[in-house]
Amino acid sequence: MSCTTLLVGKNASYDGSTMIARNDDSGADGFTPKKFVVISSKEQKRKYKTVISHLEIDLPDNPMSYTAMPNAVKGKGIWAASGINEENIAMTATETITSNPRVLGADPLVEYDEINHISGGIGEEDIVYIVLPYIHSAREGVERLGSLLEKYGTYEMNGIAFQDHDEIWWLETIGGHHWIAKKVPDDHYVAMPNQFGIDNFDLEDALTSKKNHMCSSDMKEFIEKYHLDLSLNAKFNARDTFGSHDDSDHVYNTPRAFDIERYLNPHTFTHQPYDDDIPWSQVPEKKITVEDVKYALSLHFQGTNYDPYKSYGDLSQKGMYRPIGINRNDFLSVIQLRNDVPKSFQAIEWIAYASNVFNTLVPFYGSISETPDYLSNTTDTVSTDNFYWSSRLIAAMADASYKKSSIHIERYQKNVMAKGHHLINIYDELLQKENDLDKQLQLKHQANQKIADMLKEETNKTISLVLNELSLSMKNKFERSDA
């Protein structure tokens, strides 16, 4: 699945929270409708069967409930995508990444053998479902997924983020059964396009104390046996060893890391869109806000010759590189685990549907038992009764009337986010005064519904505005009216 991920350590964020964010994008042939739901512990199966790889997995007892962003239309599996469990542990999965023939030859992907009815490994459709309900820290998430990869293998290359209020860990799969993971430095952010990303990696730490790095237990022997280390100075670089540097990367992947890092480090970032050594993580020039995360994951090379919406000057490079904000964004989830409020209402999940260039981000409390209907009732039928299809309609109309509709989109985004912040601030104060956890849960549900009602009102207004702009630009028109 084509995606873009942005991770923000607690000392790099504006309020001391950890933040993990990811665009979930469809393939080039269409869209995947999504919904925001709670999967309760009672719904969680004890024996799980994958759809794509036909693999059966026994799951532990005593799962936790968790939020999820599954596919709204049945067919290819759950694809829970991202969420927060009862313990305020979060994850997002997955960022599809790349590798090279040496790695895939040494440890082939575990694909379903249809002819001989041999099951394959686990993949993106499964990972959140079989990991998130069972973990109590970000580190534990790495350990659980790592053990599952070693036991069952995987049929695809993926990157996965795990988060608690203190730490963020990023895991990348290597071939069929191997993996590495690195803790995001607290004062750094990480930009991840669809490419193997971790660069500097301390193998000794990963195989001993595991303070900031973890990996498969046989990683050192695996690298040596298949001559995978390409370093000339004994400084191990995981991206050089396990990743790819194809021509397609320089059009599809590295330009997205370039766009994020030039935005967050405008005075110190000196790389080009096609560079293979764009840093996996950096210290930002200022603390990063939720609004920064939304803007970064909506970028389309504004201010450069590559912007697909550029309409003046040199247009020869217009649309040259794959943008982050693209027509086939399906959703954006920004999970914020705050450190300045009690644990019971620490988690906020910010959600946007459809193309990030034209959508808005809206906050909801986590650790809940239900989600508002406006965000959970998505079906395969286009309807303005839900946020997903309303967002998709706004994007299609605003793209076609970009110059005239841009102002409406800007106001829509600012209005919803401002009102969202305001409602969270109001309910944070109410929650601070309430010690009963059941009553706190009621307040969180009440807040989420008020936010959803506000969102629906603002979204319907924006649909009307961009529809009017698009109608006025129709070619079948005549300037003289009846008056």
Side-chain angles (χ1 to χ4, degrees), residues 242-286:
F242 304 122
S244 64
H245 308 289
D246 299 333
D247 291 340
S248 59
D249 286 324
H250 302 147
V251 173
Y252 197 81
N253 292 325
T254 54
R256 282 182 278 156
F258 159 85
D259 214 11
I260 290 176
E261 297 192 27
R262 78 179 180 95
Y263 169 62
L264 295 175
N265 289 79
H267 303 101
T268 56
F269 184 69
T270 59
H271 286 76
Q272 298 299 318
Y274 43 78
D275 285 347
D276 289 323
D277 60 346
I278 294 173
W280 176 72
S281 73
Q282 285 207 94
V283 176
E285 291 183 20
K286 62 178 179 64

Side-chain angles (χ1 to χ4, degrees), residues 339-483:
N339 282 301
D340 59 349
V341 297
K343 182 179 178 180
S344 56
F345 54 99
Q346 179 183 62
I348 300 290
E349 187 162 5
W350 296 78
I351 293 167
Y353 286 141
S355 175
N356 284 352
V357 180
F358 305 105
N359 64 17
T360 189
L361 197 62
V362 61
F364 296 96
Y365 283 105
S367 298
I368 50 177
S369 60
E370 62 186 33
T371 57
D373 191 57
Y374 188 55
L375 288 96
S376 65
N377 70 352
T378 313
T379 68
D380 58 355
T381 301
V382 178
S383 170
T384 56
D385 286 335
N386 63 68
F387 186 40
Y388 178 84
W389 286 114
S390 295
S391 299
R392 187 65 72 199
L393 288 169
I394 287 173
M397 293 187 293
D399 178 88
S401 55
Y402 183 78
K403 283 187 177 180
K404 292 185 177 181
S405 291
S406 292
I407 185 63
H408 303 308
I409 299 302
E410 288 178 13
R411 289 172 178 168
Y412 172 52
Q413 292 169 341
K414 289 180 180 178
N415 285 344
V416 169
M417 292 194 74
K419 291 180 179 181
H421 274 299
H422 182 58
L423 285 166
I424 292 294
N425 290 337
I426 289 173
Y427 276 88
D428 274 355
E429 291 186 9
L430 294 173
L431 288 160
Q432 289 275 14
K433 298 173 184 176
E434 180 57 70
N435 294 321
D436 184 277
L437 292 180
D438 289 335
K439 290 181 179 178
Q440 281 193 353
L441 181 61
Q442 292 174 12
L443 281 171
K444 287 189 288 185
H445 288 164
Q446 184 183 103
N448 286 353
Q449 188 57 55
K450 282 196 174 184
I451 292 168
D453 292 342
M454 173 276 294
L455 174 65
K456 186 173 184 179
E457 181 180 351
E458 293 293 331
T459 300
N460 285 340
K461 286 180 187 176
T462 305
I463 288 174
S464 297
L465 290 167
V466 295
L467 177 59
N468 185 63
E469 295 292 2
L470 183 60
S471 297
L472 291 174
S473 65
M474 290 174 63
K475 291 181 172 56
N476 182 17
K477 63 181 180 179
F478 198 77
E479 296 304 325
R480 179 179 172 178
S481 64
D482 295 334

